């Protein structure tokens, strides 16, 4: 198949994800997220692929940003909903992770998303603000809002995460 006239290209690069997995386990979740923001740990490859990054964290909170690009588009000229869900899932997970002790992980059990306006390259940089609602021994819940460069709401979501503790660790945070 030949390249069509006007074809565009998106090239990505990423660092070894094993570094984050190994070194991140030895830190509290908040310290790990701060190390990502400060560039002391490499971002997950999915962030490079999707063009988003974590910008700010505090215990139970995370902010991530994404600049929409044409390669995020669905067939109708808007950012694909799955891209926005990936952004929201990632930032909500980071908010949960800020509340976990070293060696404790999480995995998304479910995400419920709502899209309230179309997003495109004209939306400007998107800002996703996530907060933990509940952290229990086995599950956590969080919520987020995505706004465009004008501050208008584009999407919002909630998540439930499974807390994955090392064997014999008890239920401590």
């Amino acid at each position: 198949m030949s390249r069509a006239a006007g074809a565009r290209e998106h090239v990505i690069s990423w660092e070894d994800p094993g570094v984050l997995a190994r070194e991140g386990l030895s830190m509290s979740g908040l310290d790990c997220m701060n190390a990502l923001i400060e560039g002391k740990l490499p971002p997950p490859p999915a962030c490079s692929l999707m063009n988003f990054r974590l910008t700010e964290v505090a215990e139970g909170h995370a902010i991530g940003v994404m600049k929409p690009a044409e390669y995020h588009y669905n067939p109708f000229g808007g950012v694909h909903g799955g891209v926005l869900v990936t952004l929201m899932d990632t930032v909500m997970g980071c908010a949960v992770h800020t509340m976990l002790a070293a060696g404790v992980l999480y995995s998304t059990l479910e995400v419920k998303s709502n899209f309230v306006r179309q997003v495109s390259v004209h939306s400007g940089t998107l800002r996703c603000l996530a907060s933990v609602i509940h952290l229990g021994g086995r599950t956590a819940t969080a919520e987020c809002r995505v706004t465009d460069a004008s501050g208008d709401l584009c999407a919002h979501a909630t998540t439930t995460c499974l807390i994955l503790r090392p064997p014999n660790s008890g239920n401590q945070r």
Side-chain angles (χ1 to χ4, degrees):
M1 180 176 190
S2 64
R3 288 181 56 117
R8 290 142 166 95
E9 186 174 88
H10 174 62
V11 178
I12 65 163
S13 60
W14 63 92
E15 296 178 50
D16 177 5
V19 173
L20 175 59
R22 284 187 306 275
E23 293 184 25
L25 280 173
S26 67
M27 303 176 185
S28 72
L30 183 58
D31 288 344
C32 179
M33 296 295 100
N34 276 313
L36 279 170
I37 292 169
E38 295 164 4
K40 295 176 182 173
L41 288 176
C47 290
S48 298
L49 177 66
M50 306 298 272
N51 193 31
F52 54 80
R53 64 188 170 85
L54 197 59
T55 59
E56 189 176 325
V57 291
E59 187 171 316
H61 303 279
I63 299 173
V65 296
M66 178 186 122
K67 186 164 174 81
E70 287 181 337
Y71 57 83
H72 293 129
Y73 277 15
N74 62 29
F76 308 109
V79 171
H80 191 285
V83 172
L84 293 173
V85 170
T86 302
L87 170 67
M88 293 186 289
D89 178 51
T90 300
V91 180
M92 288 186 292
C94 289
V96 168
H97 198 74
T98 65
M99 298 185 73
L100 301 179
V104 180
L105 303 172
Y106 68 92
S107 181
T108 302
L109 284 172
E110 63 89 28
V111 174
K112 164 67 170 87
S113 60
N114 296 276
F115 308 106
V116 297
R117 77 173 10 92
Q118 185 182 40
V119 173
S120 73
V121 296
H122 305 292
S123 301
T125 300
L126 302 178
R127 183 174 187 261
C128 181
L129 173 61
S131 298
V132 173
I133 300 168
H134 166 77
L135 177 66
R138 305 262 308 148
T139 61
T141 58
E143 62 188 359
C144 74
R145 297 170 52 92
V146 176
T147 54
D148 63 16
S150 298
D152 293 326
L153 182 66
C154 300
H156 55 97
T158 58
T159 190
T160 303
C161 294
L162 178 65
I163 305 301
L164 305 169
R165 298 182 190 282
N168 303 318
S169 68
N171 282 337
Q172 73 275 5
R173 284 185 21 189

